[in-house]
């Protein structure tokens, strides 16, 4: 082992300027400058506190010892054997048109169907794409969708990201099978920063499944992810995030979808794992006829804490968005949903809906639901609704009166309750995979 | 045919759980294999409470007496244990279970009747389900619908009959299954029950109803009149006709506290 490596093994790296420089080593000048600027924003932005409305129920200062975390960004080796849980999760997937595997913040493999590559589809490690300056990457990375100015963690991610995915679908190319990202975080006490940038050109089609897994950790371990999703006129994009980290995992996800004229940009967020999961999802309807279905499913037990902060920004007239988030909470789990529909001035003919439903399975689980509307146009159809309910005693009796034991009856009710979300996005393999994961979790409840 | 009773209810008193007042005030009833017994009575007479106490509804509590199924003490059992022992109650208000298909529900219900570690053969199950649906003139797609979710009143009752057909109980308790049904739906329910009895002549039926009209389609062996939590008269099917003509008023007066 070399001298340098030995030193690095002894001295823990920390989140700071030095880490920003390390992350940017080998980057082109524009990107190094962007990282430095992002770091300045990070340094100048206070940590979100529970005094702010958007973070009222998630106390980051308490849940995440940022100063003690070591930025990940190495260690993963191309060609090394993948850990068993990741291989099992990958084996459950149906056929894919392409797949990226990311380990501890570094892309270790990229596969793409030759026919798609021949049509101009680009699937790449984000780091390499940025270094090569592929397409519009300089114009689109951490600028229009999730810039550093978006918040403390967006800034930190923009400064420290180590890798991720760049995916470009040319005009008119329809990717019939799913493209997948399989991520693994292995090292306790680390902070991983990664980004996804997807551009679907006019009339193209894509479904993308982003799955993150990890073992259980005995100390808080951060995966901070950003997804920047662009659908150009008439494109159809589905983005699915499956969060199945182990206990101790803290997932902070910032997703932004920019849907242009007549395009569809649908999302599904599934949160089953980790100890803390926070998703900030902002859907922007930028062109007339744009459409975003926003689905979410969470199932918490023990001390799991899930916080969804969603917004539907209707900037253009005659666009449509429909949000459905459903969660089941057992043990001492906490679920927070805060959603806002913003209909901007001039966005006439907006159709926007928002529904959050929670099923409470224990006396100590808590669900908080805060739906909101902000409307500055007059010809709109909007609705929002939220429910927090317990397992219906009459439903349990009905099922038990056919012979099902109490636990079986509860399982069936929970699966049915959450299954409604999956039935709205019948994407190859996702329904089965998530159902199996919920069933496995129900087995432990 | 085995002649010892399927259901024996003796001196059964029961009321709403955690409330002192008994609704049932000493009910005696014995039903033999293959028999159909109807219990008729005005609203509030306790007839529906009897059904719920037999099925084990957690909102009701037996305070005295006993109820046995083939010699086993029903009152000691959880609702699921009663179901596995052979009790089936067709609900007056079947419950909606969104996202759970009828097929999945029935598969789970049959699986629950197997020993630990034993797996229901899915092919056999599918065959059974199809065969039962055919028997009841139901479309195969019905079983793929979520349990009672968005069903019409008639569809809900058909679903109860289908479940009864799949689970093949020793005792079927029909809790006012006929209420709120138009005559066509009523005929479907009656046809279902009669068909199942042809298939399984041992099945005992306890039919709880406010109205005589279902008894034109399901002919009872015995009719009991319940008033004020007690069975005040028992006899052949002609009692139902008398009731239809006279109404419950006479019984009410005769048995007023």
């Amino acid at each position: 082992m070399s001298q340098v490596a030995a030193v690095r093994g002894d001295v823990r790296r920390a989140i700071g300027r030095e880490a920003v420089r390390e992350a940017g080593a080998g980057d082109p000048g524009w990107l190094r400058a962007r990282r430095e600027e992002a770091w300045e924003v990070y340094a100048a932005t206070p940590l979100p506190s529970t005094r702010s409305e958007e973070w009222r129920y998630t106390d980051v200062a308490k849940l995440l010892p940022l100063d003690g975390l070591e930025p990940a960004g190495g260690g993963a080796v191309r060609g090394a054997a993948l850990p068993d849980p990741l291989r099992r999760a990958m084996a459950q997937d149906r056929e894919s048109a392409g797949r990226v595997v990311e380990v501890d913040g570094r892309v270790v493999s990229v596969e793409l169907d030759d026919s798609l590559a021949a049509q101009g589809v680009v699937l790449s490690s984000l780091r390499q794409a940025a270094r090569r300056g592929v397409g519009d990457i300089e114009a689109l990375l951490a600028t229009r969708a999730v810039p550093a100015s978006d918040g403390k963690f967006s800034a930190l991610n923009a400064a420290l990201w180590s890798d991720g995915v760049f995916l470009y679908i040319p005009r008119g190319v329809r990717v019939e099978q799913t493209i997948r990202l399989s991520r693994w975080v292995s090292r306790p006490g680390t902070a991983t920063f990664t980004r996804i940038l997807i551009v679907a050109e006019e009339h193209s089609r894509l479904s993308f499944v982003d799955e993150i897994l990890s073992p259980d950790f005995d100390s808080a371990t951060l995966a901070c992810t950003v997804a920047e999703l662009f659908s150009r006129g008439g494109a159809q994009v589905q983005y699915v995030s499956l969060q199945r980290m182990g206990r101790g995992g803290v997932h902070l996800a910032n997703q932004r979808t920019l849907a242009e004229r007549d395009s569809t940009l649908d999302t599904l967020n599934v949160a089953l794992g980790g100890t803390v999961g926070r998703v900030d999802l902002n859907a922007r309807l930028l062109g007339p006829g744009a459409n975003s279905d926003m689905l979410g499913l969470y199932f918490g037990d023990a001390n799991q804490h899930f916080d969804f902060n969603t917004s539907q920004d209707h900037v253009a007239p005659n666009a449509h968005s429909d949000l459905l988030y459903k969660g089941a909470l057992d043990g001492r789990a906490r679920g927070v949903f805060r959603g806002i529909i913003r209909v901007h001035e001039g966005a006439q003919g907006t159709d926007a809906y928002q529904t959050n439903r929670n099923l409470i399975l224990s006396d100590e689980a808590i669900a908080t639901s805060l739906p909101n509307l902000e409307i500055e146009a007059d010809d709109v159809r909007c609705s929002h609704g939220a429910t927090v309910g317990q397992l219906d005693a009459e439903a349990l009796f009905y099922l038990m009166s056919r012979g099902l034991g109490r636990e079986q009856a509860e399982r069936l009710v929970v699966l049915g309750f959450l299954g409604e979300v999956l039935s709205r996005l019948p994407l190859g393999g996702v329904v089965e995979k998530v159902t199996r994961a919920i069933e496995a979790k129900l087995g432990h409840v | 045919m085995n002649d010892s009773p399927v259901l024996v209810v003796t001196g059964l008193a029961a009321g709403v759980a955690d409330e002192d007042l008994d609704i049932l005030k000493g009910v005696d009833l014995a039903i033999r294999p293959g028999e159909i017994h109807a219990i008729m009575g005005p609203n509030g007479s306790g007839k529906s409470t009897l059904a719920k106490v037999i099925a084990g509804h957690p909102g009701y509590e037996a305070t005295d007496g006993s109820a046995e199924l083939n010699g086993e003490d029903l009152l000691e059992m959880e609702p699921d244990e009663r179901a596995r022992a052979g009790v089936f109650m067709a609900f007056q208000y079947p419950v909606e279970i969104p996202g759970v298909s009828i097929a999945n529900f029935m598969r789970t219900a049959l699986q629950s009747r197997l020993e630990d570690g034993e797996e229901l053969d899915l092919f056999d199950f599918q065959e059974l389900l199809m065969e039962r649906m055919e028997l009841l003139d139901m479309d195969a797609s019905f079983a793929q619908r979520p349990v009672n979710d968005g069903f019409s009143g008639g569809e809900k009752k058909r679903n109860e009959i289908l479940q009864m057909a799949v689970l093949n109980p020793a005792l079927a308790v029909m809790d006012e299954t006929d209420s709120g049904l138009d005559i066509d739906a009523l005929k479907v329910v009656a046809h279902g029950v009669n068909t199942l009895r042809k298939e399984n002549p041992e099945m005992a039926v306890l039919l709880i109803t406010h109205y005589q009209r279902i008894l034109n389609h399901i002919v009872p062996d015995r009719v009991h009149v319940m008033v004020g939590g007690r069975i005040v008269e028992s006899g052949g099917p002609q009692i139902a006709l008398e009731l239809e003509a006279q109404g419950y008023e006479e019984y009410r007066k005769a048995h007023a506290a």
Side-chain angles (χ1 to χ4, degrees), chain B:
Chain B
M1 197 178 277
N2 177 359
D3 209 37
S4 57
V6 179
L7 178 74
V8 179
V9 174
T10 313
L12 184 63
V16 174
D18 303 324
E19 282 182 25
D20 280 342
L21 201 67
D22 278 341
I23 299 169
L24 298 181
K25 295 167 182 166
V27 174
D28 297 299
L29 188 67
I31 308 181
R32 280 167 218 291
E35 284 183 348
I36 298 180
H37 287 222
I39 295 198
M40 302 185 69
N43 291 329
S45 60
K47 58 189 191 299
S48 212
T49 298
L50 177 63
K52 292 184 173 79
V53 171
I54 290 171
H57 192 290
Y60 295 84
E61 204 169 34
T63 53
D64 200 10
S66 66
E68 290 181 351
L69 185 84
N70 294 321
E72 284 187 88
D73 184 357
L74 281 179
L75 302 180
E76 283 297 308
M77 296 184 202
E78 293 294 321
D80 53 319
E81 295 171 320
R82 300 182 197 205
R84 296 196 293 268
V87 175
F88 179 93
M89 179 168 84
F91 279 49
Q92 186 177 0
Y93 303 108
V95 184
E96 298 184 6
I97 315 287
V100 178
S101 71
I102 294 171
N104 187 10
F105 179 24
M106 286 298 97
R107 187 164 48 81
T108 316
L110 288 176
Q111 175 70 49
S112 74
R113 284 159 170 76
L114 302 179
E115 300 285 326
D116 273 353
E118 227 181 303
E119 278 289 328
L120 188 70
D121 185 295
L122 290 186
F123 186 78
D124 290 351
F125 167 70
Q126 210 55 36
E127 213 168 16
L128 170 76
L129 186 62
M130 287 305 128
E131 184 254 319
R132 299 276 95 175
M133 293 181 75
E134 219 164 279
L135 187 71
L136 299 169
D137 301 320
M138 289 180 180
D139 193 85
S141 63
F142 188 69
Q144 297 313 316
R145 294 177 63 185
V147 178
N148 297 322
D149 192 7
F151 283 21
S152 69
E155 285 173 331
K156 284 183 179 172
K157 301 299 164 77
R158 284 166 71 95
N159 186 15
E160 296 295 285
I161 300 301
L162 173 60
Q163 293 174 41
M164 187 195 292
V166 170
L167 300 176
N168 197 22
L171 171 70
V173 181
M174 319 277 297
D175 183 14
E176 305 202 39
T177 306
D178 53 330
S179 66
L181 288 191
D182 62 34
I183 188 67
D184 290 334
L186 186 84
K187 281 181 179 165
V188 169
V189 167
H191 170 74
V193 173
N194 291 330
T195 307
L196 294 182
R197 281 197 67 248
K198 250 179 248 150
E199 284 251 308
N200 175 11
E202 297 255 317
M203 182 172 82
V205 177
L206 178 59
L207 202 159
I208 290 182
T209 181
H210 187 85
Y211 305 102
Q212 186 272 334
R213 61 174 190 166
I214 193 169
L215 304 181
N216 294 333
H217 303 281
I218 304 175
V219 182
D221 298 296
R222 300 282 291 170
V223 175
H224 310 276
V225 181
M226 185 176 270
V227 175
R230 289 187 183 89
I231 290 174
V232 296
E233 187 164 349
S234 296
Q238 80 287 349
I239 291 187
L241 296 169
E242 290 165 27
L243 262 179
E244 181 77 354
Q246 300 166 7
Y248 291 109
E249 207 44 45
E250 209 154 300
Y251 287 100
R252 256 201 215 117
K253 272 185 239 153
H255 299 278

Side-chain angles (χ1 to χ4, degrees), chain A residues 326 392-406 408 412-413 415-417 419-420, chain B residues 55-58 79-80 83-84 88-89 91 95 97-100 105 108-109 112-113 148 160 163:
Chain A
K326 291 183 94 170
D392 178 29
E394 200 63 28
L396 284 183
F397 172 60
Y398 186 64
L399 297 174
M400 288 176 74
S401 78
R402 303 312 188 230
L404 279 69
R406 183 173 298 277
Q408 273 176 317
L412 216 52
V413 172
L415 278 171
F417 176 79
E420 187 200 348
Chain B
H57 192 290
D80 53 319
R84 296 196 293 268
F88 179 93
M89 179 168 84
F91 279 49
V95 184
I97 315 287
V100 178
F105 179 24
T108 316
S112 74
R113 284 159 170 76
N148 297 322
E160 296 295 285
Q163 293 174 41

